[in-house]
Amino acid sequence: MVKGLEILDFKKQLEAQDTEFPTLEVLNNDGKLVDQALFDDAGISDEDLVNIMQRMIKQYVLNERSTKLAKQGRLGFVAPTRGQEASQSATSYAFNDDDFLMPGYRDIPQMIHKGFPIYKAFLWSRGHQIGNEMGDVKTWFPQIIIGAQFVQAAGIALGMKMRGKKSVAYTYTGDGGSSQGDTYEGMNTAGAYKANAVFFIQNNGFAISTPRNLQSAAPHLASKGWGAGIPSIVVDGMDALACYIAAKKAREWAVSGNGPVLIETLCDRLEPHSMSGDDPLRYRTKEDIEEWYKKDPLIRMRIFLEAKGLWSSDIEEKYIAEINSEIDDAVKQADNVPKQKVSDFIKNTLENPGYIMEEQIKKFEGEGK
């Protein structure tokens, strides 16, 4: 029995919070396995390893091209993803086509891995309605209201559970999103009803320019999941193998009817928050960024695969050329879509527009707008 004096030792409780969430690691910065037993238990095939690497390379190239297109004024809102390849692409490999993705605005790569066409992603960036048409791909459009996707994911996950579906809803937000009420409300609902959900908090160090240590006094953001009564873990978000294994285990747990899991991935946003005028050197140092580059998930995975004879510079160059060609086609396809008119925006607002909106539609159509 715990004695009263021990329960009332607040200092001891604070110190304990720091040690309750050890970081899951499988591949170190040098591309060497640091947890052979976990790797063997995961049963990852060579094909899986190559597929994970390909996803991360695709994300890398898409990020490079998207930032260039944004600088040219050919895209609208773009949130760079450099540094988060493992946290996004490797985790998403753990999910199936029937699982439902609720992305945040930085989670375009996961949507594309799921089958969302790149040209539609470009149209979403431009604010075009077609960028919000998902077709048969089980994803919703990227959420701009940070954290709101956690509530929506909880609802979808609960629906899956009630229908006996062997699938899950999975969603991502950042460390900034974890400070929003919606994030906790979503986890709490999913926890209370043991819904089929997997939640990710991508702790990339900054909520726009606000550093992580000002977001929360909690040593680990994963601890917020405990408040909702759900299993919560911390993962090295620059380690593709740890990210994939953690996501796979979480999915297996959730789809078996045990309820949701929260995964905090420790990663870094190596580039600006968005291409809309952010300058990261106004709130962090060049030296800090360089330190994070030493943990680059692409380099780790490349070294590991090359040692196994599964990857080479020739293979990578050929694959990058294929992706660039795919992106070239997507740019042309997006450019050929007719531009939206003002009247289209009003038409798309409500299924049954009121008489004032009808008048506005008629007016703008009469002006050819």
mmCIF file of all heavy atoms in Angstrom, residues 52-92:
data_model
loop_
_atom_site.group_PDB
_atom_site.id
_atom_site.type_symbol
_atom_site.label_atom_id
_atom_site.label_comp_id
_atom_site.label_asym_id
_atom_site.label_seq_id
_atom_site.Cartn_x
_atom_site.Cartn_y
_atom_site.Cartn_z
ATOM 1 N N ILE A 52 9.249 0.793 -47.975
ATOM 2 C CA ILE A 52 9.327 1.903 -47.013
ATOM 3 C C ILE A 52 10.317 2.954 -47.513
ATOM 4 O O ILE A 52 10.052 4.159 -47.471
ATOM 5 C CB ILE A 52 9.720 1.375 -45.621
ATOM 6 C CG1 ILE A 52 8.578 0.548 -45.030
ATOM 7 C CG2 ILE A 52 10.072 2.533 -44.680
ATOM 8 C CD1 ILE A 52 8.957 -0.222 -43.768
ATOM 9 N N MET A 53 11.477 2.493 -48.001
ATOM 10 C CA MET A 53 12.477 3.432 -48.523
ATOM 11 C C MET A 53 11.919 4.203 -49.720
ATOM 12 O O MET A 53 12.114 5.420 -49.841
ATOM 13 C CB MET A 53 13.739 2.666 -48.929
ATOM 14 C CG MET A 53 14.886 3.561 -49.390
ATOM 15 S SD MET A 53 15.446 4.667 -48.068
ATOM 16 C CE MET A 53 16.818 5.490 -48.879
ATOM 17 N N GLN A 54 11.218 3.494 -50.589
ATOM 18 C CA GLN A 54 10.650 4.160 -51.766
ATOM 19 C C GLN A 54 9.642 5.234 -51.345
ATOM 20 O O GLN A 54 9.600 6.326 -51.920
ATOM 21 C CB GLN A 54 9.976 3.135 -52.674
ATOM 22 C CG GLN A 54 10.966 2.278 -53.458
ATOM 23 C CD GLN A 54 10.272 1.292 -54.387
ATOM 24 O OE1 GLN A 54 9.169 0.836 -54.113
ATOM 25 N NE2 GLN A 54 10.923 0.953 -55.470
ATOM 26 N N ARG A 55 8.836 4.920 -50.341
ATOM 27 C CA ARG A 55 7.873 5.926 -49.871
ATOM 28 C C ARG A 55 8.591 7.170 -49.355
ATOM 29 O O ARG A 55 8.166 8.298 -49.601
ATOM 30 C CB ARG A 55 7.002 5.332 -48.756
ATOM 31 C CG ARG A 55 5.919 4.410 -49.257
ATOM 32 C CD ARG A 55 4.932 4.082 -48.158
ATOM 33 N NE ARG A 55 3.821 3.305 -48.692
ATOM 34 C CZ ARG A 55 2.585 3.343 -48.246
ATOM 35 N NH1 ARG A 55 2.279 4.139 -47.238
ATOM 36 N NH2 ARG A 55 1.633 2.617 -48.777
ATOM 37 N N MET A 56 9.663 6.950 -48.612
ATOM 38 C CA MET A 56 10.374 8.105 -48.051
ATOM 39 C C MET A 56 11.053 8.925 -49.148
ATOM 40 O O MET A 56 11.063 10.160 -49.101
ATOM 41 C CB MET A 56 11.394 7.641 -47.007
ATOM 42 C CG MET A 56 10.756 7.055 -45.757
ATOM 43 S SD MET A 56 11.852 7.061 -44.325
ATOM 44 C CE MET A 56 13.158 5.996 -44.877
ATOM 45 N N ILE A 57 11.607 8.237 -50.149
ATOM 46 C CA ILE A 57 12.232 8.957 -51.264
ATOM 47 C C ILE A 57 11.176 9.741 -52.038
ATOM 48 O O ILE A 57 11.387 10.885 -52.451
ATOM 49 C CB ILE A 57 12.958 7.964 -52.211
ATOM 50 C CG1 ILE A 57 14.169 7.335 -51.512
ATOM 51 C CG2 ILE A 57 13.383 8.658 -53.492
ATOM 52 C CD1 ILE A 57 15.314 8.289 -51.264
ATOM 53 N N LYS A 58 10.013 9.120 -52.221
ATOM 54 C CA LYS A 58 8.935 9.815 -52.942
ATOM 55 C C LYS A 58 8.525 11.077 -52.189
ATOM 56 O O LYS A 58 8.313 12.135 -52.792
ATOM 57 C CB LYS A 58 7.727 8.885 -53.117
ATOM 58 C CG LYS A 58 6.663 9.456 -54.038
ATOM 59 C CD LYS A 58 5.655 8.383 -54.433
ATOM 60 C CE LYS A 58 4.720 8.896 -55.533
ATOM 61 N NZ LYS A 58 3.842 7.849 -56.050
ATOM 62 N N GLN A 59 8.421 10.964 -50.871
ATOM 63 C CA GLN A 59 8.089 12.137 -50.057
ATOM 64 C C GLN A 59 9.164 13.218 -50.212
ATOM 65 O O GLN A 59 8.865 14.405 -50.332
ATOM 66 C CB GLN A 59 7.949 11.740 -48.582
ATOM 67 C CG GLN A 59 7.748 12.934 -47.659
ATOM 68 C CD GLN A 59 7.472 12.534 -46.226
ATOM 69 O OE1 GLN A 59 7.089 11.406 -45.953
ATOM 70 N NE2 GLN A 59 7.666 13.457 -45.313
ATOM 71 N N TYR A 60 10.435 12.786 -50.200
ATOM 72 C CA TYR A 60 11.556 13.723 -50.330
ATOM 73 C C TYR A 60 11.483 14.490 -51.655
ATOM 74 O O TYR A 60 11.611 15.721 -51.691
ATOM 75 C CB TYR A 60 12.868 12.945 -50.228
ATOM 76 C CG TYR A 60 14.093 13.736 -50.555
ATOM 77 C CD1 TYR A 60 14.695 14.572 -49.606
ATOM 78 C CD2 TYR A 60 14.679 13.659 -51.834
ATOM 79 C CE1 TYR A 60 15.823 15.309 -49.920
ATOM 80 C CE2 TYR A 60 15.801 14.397 -52.157
ATOM 81 C CZ TYR A 60 16.376 15.215 -51.203
ATOM 82 O OH TYR A 60 17.492 15.942 -51.528
ATOM 83 N N VAL A 61 11.267 13.758 -52.745
ATOM 84 C CA VAL A 61 11.223 14.399 -54.067
ATOM 85 C C VAL A 61 9.985 15.289 -54.189
ATOM 86 O O VAL A 61 10.060 16.411 -54.708
ATOM 87 C CB VAL A 61 11.230 13.330 -55.186
ATOM 88 C CG1 VAL A 61 11.098 13.989 -56.556
ATOM 89 C CG2 VAL A 61 12.497 12.491 -55.124
ATOM 90 N N LEU A 62 8.860 14.794 -53.691
ATOM 91 C CA LEU A 62 7.630 15.593 -53.747
ATOM 92 C C LEU A 62 7.809 16.901 -52.977
ATOM 93 O O LEU A 62 7.354 17.964 -53.412
ATOM 94 C CB LEU A 62 6.471 14.785 -53.163
ATOM 95 C CG LEU A 62 5.108 15.480 -53.188
ATOM 96 C CD1 LEU A 62 4.629 15.685 -54.625
ATOM 97 C CD2 LEU A 62 4.073 14.660 -52.400
ATOM 98 N N ASN A 63 8.497 16.812 -51.841
ATOM 99 C CA ASN A 63 8.735 18.022 -51.047
ATOM 100 C C ASN A 63 9.613 19.011 -51.820
ATOM 101 O O ASN A 63 9.330 20.216 -51.868
ATOM 102 C CB ASN A 63 9.402 17.646 -49.729
ATOM 103 C CG ASN A 63 9.734 18.861 -48.887
ATOM 104 O OD1 ASN A 63 8.844 19.560 -48.421
ATOM 105 N ND2 ASN A 63 11.019 19.143 -48.715
ATOM 106 N N GLU A 64 10.672 18.486 -52.433
ATOM 107 C CA GLU A 64 11.573 19.358 -53.204
ATOM 108 C C GLU A 64 10.836 20.054 -54.336
ATOM 109 O O GLU A 64 10.960 21.267 -54.528
ATOM 110 C CB GLU A 64 12.727 18.529 -53.784
ATOM 111 C CG GLU A 64 13.893 18.329 -52.841
ATOM 112 C CD GLU A 64 15.186 18.097 -53.607
ATOM 113 O OE1 GLU A 64 15.109 17.477 -54.682
ATOM 114 O OE2 GLU A 64 16.243 18.544 -53.131
ATOM 115 N N ARG A 65 10.065 19.289 -55.079
ATOM 116 C CA ARG A 65 9.349 19.858 -56.232
ATOM 117 C C ARG A 65 8.258 20.827 -55.783
ATOM 118 O O ARG A 65 8.044 21.868 -56.401
ATOM 119 C CB ARG A 65 8.747 18.724 -57.085
ATOM 120 C CG ARG A 65 9.762 17.817 -57.754
ATOM 121 C CD ARG A 65 10.546 18.544 -58.864
ATOM 122 N NE ARG A 65 9.679 19.093 -59.866
ATOM 123 C CZ ARG A 65 9.193 18.426 -60.915
ATOM 124 N NH1 ARG A 65 9.521 17.154 -61.082
ATOM 125 N NH2 ARG A 65 8.420 19.016 -61.806
ATOM 126 N N SER A 66 7.565 20.467 -54.708
ATOM 127 C CA SER A 66 6.470 21.318 -54.232
ATOM 128 C C SER A 66 6.993 22.667 -53.739
ATOM 129 O O SER A 66 6.375 23.715 -53.992
ATOM 130 C CB SER A 66 5.703 20.619 -53.098
ATOM 131 O OG SER A 66 5.084 19.442 -53.569
ATOM 132 N N THR A 67 8.123 22.660 -53.033
ATOM 133 C CA THR A 67 8.660 23.933 -52.546
ATOM 134 C C THR A 67 9.131 24.805 -53.714
ATOM 135 O O THR A 67 8.973 26.025 -53.679
ATOM 136 C CB THR A 67 9.815 23.699 -51.556
ATOM 137 O OG1 THR A 67 10.803 22.858 -52.148
ATOM 138 C CG2 THR A 67 9.327 23.058 -50.281
ATOM 139 N N LYS A 68 9.695 24.175 -54.738
ATOM 140 C CA LYS A 68 10.106 24.954 -55.920
ATOM 141 C C LYS A 68 8.889 25.540 -56.639
ATOM 142 O O LYS A 68 8.895 26.706 -57.045
ATOM 143 C CB LYS A 68 10.908 24.062 -56.888
ATOM 144 C CG LYS A 68 12.304 23.723 -56.387
ATOM 145 C CD LYS A 68 13.017 22.797 -57.361
ATOM 146 C CE LYS A 68 14.412 22.435 -56.837
ATOM 147 N NZ LYS A 68 15.090 21.448 -57.714
ATOM 148 N N LEU A 69 7.853 24.724 -56.787
ATOM 149 C CA LEU A 69 6.637 25.210 -57.451
ATOM 150 C C LEU A 69 6.009 26.345 -56.643
ATOM 151 O O LEU A 69 5.477 27.309 -57.213
ATOM 152 C CB LEU A 69 5.634 24.058 -57.619
ATOM 153 C CG LEU A 69 6.008 22.999 -58.662
ATOM 154 C CD1 LEU A 69 5.145 21.752 -58.494
ATOM 155 C CD2 LEU A 69 5.848 23.565 -60.076
ATOM 156 N N ALA A 70 6.091 26.244 -55.313
ATOM 157 C CA ALA A 70 5.534 27.311 -54.476
ATOM 158 C C ALA A 70 6.316 28.601 -54.672
ATOM 159 O O ALA A 70 5.739 29.700 -54.747
ATOM 160 C CB ALA A 70 5.560 26.876 -53.004
ATOM 161 N N LYS A 71 7.650 28.492 -54.749
ATOM 162 C CA LYS A 71 8.478 29.686 -54.966
ATOM 163 C C LYS A 71 8.188 30.331 -56.319
ATOM 164 O O LYS A 71 8.349 31.537 -56.490
ATOM 165 C CB LYS A 71 9.966 29.311 -54.865
ATOM 166 C CG LYS A 71 10.423 28.989 -53.452
ATOM 167 C CD LYS A 71 11.879 28.555 -53.432
ATOM 168 C CE LYS A 71 12.340 28.212 -52.021
ATOM 169 N NZ LYS A 71 13.732 27.712 -51.984
ATOM 170 N N GLN A 72 7.787 29.499 -57.277
ATOM 171 C CA GLN A 72 7.448 30.021 -58.607
ATOM 172 C C GLN A 72 6.026 30.579 -58.665
ATOM 173 O O GLN A 72 5.599 31.079 -59.699
ATOM 174 C CB GLN A 72 7.587 28.893 -59.642
ATOM 175 C CG GLN A 72 9.012 28.403 -59.845
ATOM 176 C CD GLN A 72 9.076 27.100 -60.630
ATOM 177 O OE1 GLN A 72 8.047 26.527 -61.006
ATOM 178 N NE2 GLN A 72 10.282 26.628 -60.878
ATOM 179 N N GLY A 73 5.314 30.472 -57.560
ATOM 180 C CA GLY A 73 3.933 30.950 -57.537
ATOM 181 C C GLY A 73 2.955 30.026 -58.232
ATOM 182 O O GLY A 73 1.833 30.425 -58.553
ATOM 183 N N ARG A 74 3.357 28.766 -58.417
ATOM 184 C CA ARG A 74 2.499 27.816 -59.143
ATOM 185 C C ARG A 74 1.694 26.925 -58.189
ATOM 186 O O ARG A 74 0.900 26.116 -58.628
ATOM 187 C CB ARG A 74 3.356 26.970 -60.084
ATOM 188 C CG ARG A 74 4.080 27.832 -61.119
ATOM 189 C CD ARG A 74 5.008 27.021 -61.976
ATOM 190 N NE ARG A 74 4.286 26.130 -62.864
ATOM 191 C CZ ARG A 74 4.874 25.259 -63.673
ATOM 192 N NH1 ARG A 74 6.200 25.177 -63.675
ATOM 193 N NH2 ARG A 74 4.155 24.488 -64.462
ATOM 194 N N LEU A 75 1.944 27.027 -56.890
ATOM 195 C CA LEU A 75 1.125 26.357 -55.886
ATOM 196 C C LEU A 75 0.715 27.391 -54.843
ATOM 197 O O LEU A 75 1.321 28.459 -54.735
ATOM 198 C CB LEU A 75 1.895 25.213 -55.210
ATOM 199 C CG LEU A 75 2.203 23.974 -56.057
ATOM 200 C CD1 LEU A 75 2.939 22.929 -55.208
ATOM 201 C CD2 LEU A 75 0.930 23.367 -56.633
ATOM 202 N N GLY A 76 -0.299 27.045 -54.064
ATOM 203 C CA GLY A 76 -0.736 27.941 -52.999
ATOM 204 C C GLY A 76 -0.047 27.575 -51.701
ATOM 205 O O GLY A 76 1.158 27.727 -51.561
ATOM 206 N N PHE A 77 -0.811 27.034 -50.760
ATOM 207 C CA PHE A 77 -0.238 26.687 -49.461
ATOM 208 C C PHE A 77 0.572 25.398 -49.566
ATOM 209 O O PHE A 77 0.079 24.376 -50.041
ATOM 210 C CB PHE A 77 -1.354 26.506 -48.418
ATOM 211 C CG PHE A 77 -0.827 26.174 -47.051
ATOM 212 C CD1 PHE A 77 -0.325 27.167 -46.227
ATOM 213 C CD2 PHE A 77 -0.816 24.867 -46.597
ATOM 214 C CE1 PHE A 77 0.175 26.863 -44.964
ATOM 215 C CE2 PHE A 77 -0.319 24.552 -45.339
ATOM 216 C CZ PHE A 77 0.173 25.561 -44.521
ATOM 217 N N VAL A 78 1.818 25.443 -49.109
ATOM 218 C CA VAL A 78 2.691 24.257 -49.072
ATOM 219 C C VAL A 78 3.392 24.221 -47.723
ATOM 220 O O VAL A 78 4.030 25.191 -47.309
ATOM 221 C CB VAL A 78 3.744 24.295 -50.202
ATOM 222 C CG1 VAL A 78 4.783 23.191 -50.004
ATOM 223 C CG2 VAL A 78 3.083 24.139 -51.560
ATOM 224 N N ALA A 79 3.285 23.082 -47.033
ATOM 225 C CA ALA A 79 3.968 22.882 -45.751
ATOM 226 C C ALA A 79 5.081 21.857 -45.974
ATOM 227 O O ALA A 79 4.790 20.677 -46.202
ATOM 228 C CB ALA A 79 2.996 22.377 -44.693
ATOM 229 N N PRO A 80 6.353 22.268 -45.956
ATOM 230 C CA PRO A 80 7.461 21.332 -46.205
ATOM 231 C C PRO A 80 7.460 20.155 -45.228
ATOM 232 O O PRO A 80 7.054 20.284 -44.071
ATOM 233 C CB PRO A 80 8.701 22.207 -46.008
ATOM 234 C CG PRO A 80 8.240 23.585 -46.329
ATOM 235 C CD PRO A 80 6.839 23.650 -45.792
ATOM 236 N N THR A 81 7.969 19.017 -45.709
ATOM 237 C CA THR A 81 7.959 17.791 -44.904
ATOM 238 C C THR A 81 9.356 17.224 -44.686
ATOM 239 O O THR A 81 9.493 16.127 -44.133
ATOM 240 C CB THR A 81 7.101 16.699 -45.575
ATOM 241 O OG1 THR A 81 7.689 16.351 -46.837
ATOM 242 C CG2 THR A 81 5.676 17.175 -45.785
ATOM 243 N N ARG A 82 10.400 17.955 -45.089
ATOM 244 C CA ARG A 82 11.770 17.445 -44.954
ATOM 245 C C ARG A 82 12.077 17.182 -43.479
ATOM 246 O O ARG A 82 11.872 18.032 -42.625
ATOM 247 C CB ARG A 82 12.759 18.463 -45.523
ATOM 248 C CG ARG A 82 14.188 17.962 -45.591
ATOM 249 C CD ARG A 82 14.362 16.868 -46.649
ATOM 250 N NE ARG A 82 15.745 16.369 -46.644
ATOM 251 C CZ ARG A 82 16.135 15.261 -45.992
ATOM 252 N NH1 ARG A 82 15.257 14.537 -45.329
ATOM 253 N NH2 ARG A 82 17.384 14.875 -46.036
ATOM 254 N N GLY A 83 12.598 15.962 -43.227
ATOM 255 C CA GLY A 83 12.912 15.549 -41.862
ATOM 256 C C GLY A 83 11.847 14.639 -41.271
ATOM 257 O O GLY A 83 12.101 13.945 -40.290
ATOM 258 N N GLN A 84 10.658 14.648 -41.855
ATOM 259 C CA GLN A 84 9.566 13.856 -41.285
ATOM 260 C C GLN A 84 9.233 12.644 -42.158
ATOM 261 O O GLN A 84 8.131 12.096 -42.070
ATOM 262 C CB GLN A 84 8.334 14.750 -41.072
ATOM 263 C CG GLN A 84 8.599 15.837 -40.040
ATOM 264 C CD GLN A 84 7.375 16.673 -39.682
ATOM 265 O OE1 GLN A 84 7.510 17.832 -39.357
ATOM 266 N NE2 GLN A 84 6.187 16.082 -39.722
ATOM 267 N N GLU A 85 10.182 12.225 -42.996
ATOM 268 C CA GLU A 85 9.914 11.114 -43.915
ATOM 269 C C GLU A 85 9.578 9.819 -43.165
ATOM 270 O O GLU A 85 8.697 9.069 -43.586
ATOM 271 C CB GLU A 85 11.123 10.891 -44.833
ATOM 272 C CG GLU A 85 11.360 12.002 -45.853
ATOM 273 C CD GLU A 85 12.217 13.135 -45.305
ATOM 274 O OE1 GLU A 85 12.531 13.110 -44.099
ATOM 275 O OE2 GLU A 85 12.568 14.043 -46.087
ATOM 276 N N ALA A 86 10.295 9.545 -42.081
ATOM 277 C CA ALA A 86 10.007 8.318 -41.329
ATOM 278 C C ALA A 86 8.699 8.456 -40.561
ATOM 279 O O ALA A 86 7.857 7.552 -40.552
ATOM 280 C CB ALA A 86 11.150 8.018 -40.354
ATOM 281 N N SER A 87 8.520 9.602 -39.939
ATOM 282 C CA SER A 87 7.317 9.842 -39.134
ATOM 283 C C SER A 87 6.043 9.777 -39.968
ATOM 284 O O SER A 87 4.986 9.375 -39.464
ATOM 285 C CB SER A 87 7.434 11.214 -38.464
ATOM 286 O OG SER A 87 6.302 11.501 -37.690
ATOM 287 N N GLN A 88 6.143 10.148 -41.234
ATOM 288 C CA GLN A 88 4.953 10.157 -42.083
ATOM 289 C C GLN A 88 4.895 8.935 -43.008
ATOM 290 O O GLN A 88 3.928 8.174 -42.980
ATOM 291 C CB GLN A 88 4.937 11.452 -42.914
ATOM 292 C CG GLN A 88 4.803 12.702 -42.047
ATOM 293 C CD GLN A 88 4.875 13.988 -42.829
ATOM 294 O OE1 GLN A 88 5.826 14.218 -43.576
ATOM 295 N NE2 GLN A 88 3.893 14.855 -42.655
ATOM 296 N N SER A 89 5.912 8.766 -43.832
ATOM 297 C CA SER A 89 5.844 7.709 -44.852
ATOM 298 C C SER A 89 6.021 6.308 -44.271
ATOM 299 O O SER A 89 5.356 5.363 -44.698
ATOM 300 C CB SER A 89 6.901 7.966 -45.929
ATOM 301 O OG SER A 89 6.564 9.115 -46.666
ATOM 302 N N ALA A 90 6.938 6.159 -43.310
ATOM 303 C CA ALA A 90 7.155 4.819 -42.749
ATOM 304 C C ALA A 90 5.965 4.392 -41.887
ATOM 305 O O ALA A 90 5.570 3.221 -41.925
ATOM 306 C CB ALA A 90 8.447 4.791 -41.925
ATOM 307 N N THR A 91 5.388 5.304 -41.127
ATOM 308 C CA THR A 91 4.220 4.930 -40.320
ATOM 309 C C THR A 91 3.040 4.565 -41.215
ATOM 310 O O THR A 91 2.321 3.600 -40.947
ATOM 311 C CB THR A 91 3.788 6.074 -39.382
ATOM 312 O OG1 THR A 91 3.541 7.258 -40.160
ATOM 313 C CG2 THR A 91 4.842 6.361 -38.333
ATOM 314 N N SER A 92 2.848 5.318 -42.289
ATOM 315 C CA SER A 92 1.666 5.088 -43.136
ATOM 316 C C SER A 92 1.715 3.731 -43.824
ATOM 317 O O SER A 92 0.679 3.193 -44.224
ATOM 318 C CB SER A 92 1.523 6.201 -44.177
ATOM 319 O OG SER A 92 2.518 6.100 -45.176
#
